[in-house]
Amino acid sequence: DGGITQSPKYLFRKEGQNVTLSCEQNLNHDAMYWYRQDPGQGLRLIYYSQIVNDFQKGDIAEGYSVSREKKESFPLTVTSAQKNPTAFYLCASSMTLMKKLFFGSGTQLSVL
Amino acid sequence: GESVGLHLPTLSVQEGDNSIINCAYSNSASDYFIWYKQESGKGPQFIIDIRSNMDKRQGQRVTVLLNKTVKHLSLQIAATQPGDSAVYFCAENPGSARQLTFGSGTQLTVLP
């Protein structure tokens, strides 16, 4: 069953805590992305990676970090520096950069 | 930067009728467009895409029309079904592969 798997589906963060969202794909896609979605707004790009061991900041990278050690995996860490982390986080991948993105099912992050 | 907007935030249609969802874009350099469907609490699902060298593309029950003269994109859904109820949003790539710009979406509600 090919696709993109995000986990967990729901995540709660305490003040001052770092949390990591998982994203795994078995589509053999080179490019992977993290987006943030707030209610009633369009998707905003946090980070993207075109190839293993390389990634670029998107529009709202502050307070977030990523790694791309394997082609299949692109985890996102929401650090304590991100003061407003409550949002729906979406991971995506594509064969070609910024074309025909396929999305995971999302992680809802909330602050306790 | 350039942005993608939608004409109507909500659209209600009777089951069996055709739906038309509109999207205006402002970047004349955009050469690639995508429509996504997003159900509540889920990740966006790819519907159909179109390149700027085309003005129409058809899929299963869906048609995308591109009018580059007025920078307008539309998604037509034939014989709308209850399962079509979702938020639909478009995305554009301004041709430089920098990133996709997403609209905020239109909520489609199918009435029985």
Side-chain angles (χ1 to χ4, degrees):
Chain A
D1 206 18
I4 303 172
T5 302
Q6 287 188 243
S7 63
K9 187 167 179 61
Y10 300 97
L11 186 59
F12 297 91
R13 193 192 88 167
K14 296 179 181 178
E15 290 288 334
Q17 185 182 41
N18 293 351
V19 293
T20 297
L21 285 61
S22 171
C23 178
E24 304 277 333
Q25 56 101 356
N26 61 3
L27 299 170
N28 199 33
H29 286 170
D30 286 322
M32 296 188 74
Y33 317 79
W34 275 104
Y35 285 90
R36 170 178 171 141
Q37 186 175 36
D38 293 282
Q41 297 187 30
L43 304 181
R44 292 185 289 168
L45 183 65
I46 304 173
Y47 270 98
Y48 66 98
S49 168
Q50 193 170 356
I51 197 170
V52 174
N53 292 321
D54 182 63
F55 48 83
Q56 305 295 327
K57 292 182 179 180
D59 293 330
I60 56 166
E62 185 175 350
Y64 301 98
S65 66
V66 293
S67 63
R68 187 85 186 275
E69 297 176 1
K70 299 186 299 181
K71 186 176 184 178
E72 302 79 17
S73 180
F74 191 41
L76 172 75
T77 296
V78 183
T79 75
S80 57
Q82 173 49 248
K83 298 307 179 187
N84 183 24
T86 298
F88 192 51
Y89 290 86
L90 288 160
C91 178
S93 70
S94 65
M95 185 75 73
T96 309
L97 188 65
M98 298 302 175
K99 294 288 195 290
K100 202 168 183 177
L101 271 63
F102 291 91
F103 287 86
S105 56
T107 293
Q108 176 63 51
L109 175 63
S110 303
V111 177
L112 290 176
Chain B
E2 301 289 345
S3 64
V4 176
L6 293 172
H7 291 174
L8 297 172
T10 61
L11 176 65
S12 297
V13 298
Q14 292 292 139
E15 183 178 353
D17 287 352
N18 296 336
S19 302
I20 300 176
I21 302 170
N22 297 304
C23 179
Y25 65 95
S26 54
N27 191 336
S28 57
S30 292
D31 65 353
Y32 178 69
F33 305 86
I34 315 174
W35 279 101
Y36 285 97
K37 170 187 179 182
Q38 186 175 24
E39 297 175 79
S40 181
K42 297 184 179 180
Q45 177 185 356
F46 173 87
I47 301 174
I48 193 167
D49 58 358
I50 188 168
R51 297 189 181 277
S52 60
N53 61 353
M54 303 172 68
D55 53 20
K56 180 179 180 179
R57 191 171 187 209
Q58 289 184 294
Q60 187 176 8
R61 278 201 310 119
V62 295
T63 300
V64 55
L65 298 177
L66 177 62
N67 185 331
K68 294 181 285 295
T69 302
V70 295
K71 300 192 191 75
H72 184 267
L73 190 70
S74 69
L75 176 71
Q76 300 179 0
I77 305 173
T80 312
Q81 303 169 358
D84 294 328
S85 292
V87 173
Y88 291 81
F89 55 90
C90 60
E92 63 172 323
N93 184 312
S96 62
R98 290 174 300 172
Q99 62 174 282
L100 289 171
T101 300
F102 291 86
S104 55
T106 292
Q107 173 69 57
L108 174 66
T109 300
V110 181
L111 305 172

